[in-house]
Amino acid sequence: MFRMSEDLPDLPAYAERVLDVAELVPPGRVMTYGDVAEWLGEGGPRQVGRVMALYGGAVPWWRVVRADGILLPGHEVEALGRYREEGTPLRAAARQADDHVPRLDMRRARWDGSVHGQDAHT
């Protein structure tokens, strides 16, 4: 698959598979770290998170997220801009929230890996 960055070192096979899944997530939708691991049938949320932390800049990293919908710490402004550009469903921040940054509306934004009714695995 095409990567946004051509300067990636040789990737471990698992990392390549995680990045492949990240590239499949349609604009305006997200998958959690756990969703990606489940979709691949290997690893877990921490392993996917590690791959995204090390190599995620080469793919649409903002589409692979925490299960609670909180935006990636340190990247909130960039992610929020991309979510708004793509029309990703968001939830308003609670008034008592210190930073007043919206969260993803996981119920509406979460992608199950299907493409027009078919599993994207095929």
Side-chain angles (χ1 to χ4, degrees), residues 4 9-10 24 26 29 31 34 39-40 45 51 54 59 62 68 85 98 100 105 107 117:
M4 288 185 211
D10 289 332
L24 292 174
R29 304 300 297 273
M31 287 182 94
W39 198 86
L40 289 171
V51 168
L54 292 173
V59 297
W62 59 94
D68 60 8
E85 181 181 303
D98 291 335
H100 301 288
D105 183 339
R107 185 179 53 77

Side-chain angles (χ1 to χ4, degrees), residues 91-101 103:
R91 294 178 57 195
R95 288 186 194 183
Q96 67 272 20
D98 291 335
D99 53 12
H100 301 288
V101 175
R103 288 185 181 200

Side-chain angles (χ1 to χ4, degrees), residues 1-6 8 16 19-20 22-24 58-60:
M1 296 198 143
F2 172 75
R3 299 268 186 254
M4 288 185 211
S5 170
E6 298 296 325
L8 286 178
E16 185 72 34
L19 298 179
D20 285 347
E23 289 183 316
L24 292 174
V59 297

Side-chain angles (χ1 to χ4, degrees), residues 17-35:
R17 290 190 294 277
V18 167
L19 298 179
D20 285 347
V21 174
E23 289 183 316
L24 292 174
V25 181
R29 304 300 297 273
V30 298
M31 287 182 94
T32 68
Y33 300 123
D35 291 341

Side-chain angles (χ1 to χ4, degrees), residues 48-81:
V48 171
R50 182 73 175 149
V51 168
M52 294 303 294
L54 292 173
Y55 309 109
V59 297
W61 55 266
W62 59 94
R63 296 183 194 150
V64 181
V65 301
R66 294 171 43 152
D68 60 8
I70 292 175
L71 307 190
L72 183 63
H75 299 277
E76 299 94 342
V77 173
E78 183 178 356
L80 188 56

